[in-house]
Amino acid sequence: QVQLVESGGGLVQAGDSLRLSCAASGRTFSTYDMAWFRQAPGKEREFVAGITWSGWTMYYVDSVKGRFTISRDNAKNTLYLRMNSLKPEDTAHYYCTARRGTGVVVKIPGPYEYWGQGTQVTVSS
């Protein structure tokens, strides 16, 4: 069992930056592929970024490439999402999620086993 707790969201202006964190419980964090998804009101949950258990492979949705960076610190059991140049369309509830590591970043929510409660990011224009 893995418990995930996100933090770092908030209300910012367009062009600002935020760093989201996801603290994971347990001693097996380093064996899980991790990802960030987001969901805006009235929209489906969307893949944002993912990273394999080793940290060697990362993927991003096209709309955040060059602005967001996913990273992990296995020694601290923590996943991060650095978000720069935020836009109003980035406004959403952001979720951290985990699945047993396969070395493949999955971009749909179904295969992920564990989810946090999420943190809200609101970007004003």
Side-chain angles (χ1 to χ4, degrees):
Q1 188 78 5
V2 176
Q3 291 187 322
L4 304 171
V5 179
E6 302 94 333
S7 62
L11 171 63
V12 298
Q13 293 186 330
D16 286 349
S17 298
L18 281 175
R19 189 180 77 161
L20 305 183
S21 298
C22 173
S25 65
R27 293 177 288 180
T28 58
F29 174 78
S30 63
T31 67
Y32 284 82
D33 297 331
M34 305 291 296
W36 290 96
F37 282 73
R38 65 187 178 186
Q39 189 165 19
K43 295 188 176 181
E44 293 186 352
R45 194 164 293 192
E46 173 190 38
F47 172 85
V48 177
I51 187 168
T52 54
W53 63 270
S54 65
W56 290 349
T57 303
M58 293 157 280
Y59 282 102
Y60 300 89
V61 68
D62 286 347
S63 61
V64 308
K65 284 180 181 177
R67 299 189 298 122
F68 290 13
T69 302
I70 190 171
S71 62
R72 66 190 298 161
D73 186 337
N74 287 344
K76 295 183 178 180
N77 281 11
T78 304
L79 177 73
Y80 302 100
L81 185 68
R82 177 68 180 181
M83 306 185 294
N84 295 329
S85 302
L86 283 161
K87 303 176 180 180
E89 50 263 45
D90 294 319
T91 294
H93 208 69
Y94 283 71
Y95 297 91
C96 169
T97 186
R99 65 189 294 262
R100 285 177 177 81
T102 63
V104 177
V105 174
V106 175
K107 302 174 186 178
I108 56 175
Y112 286 91
E113 302 166 77
Y114 305 104
W115 293 83
Q117 293 299 306
T119 185
Q120 178 68 31
V121 172
T122 303
V123 185
S124 64
S125 57

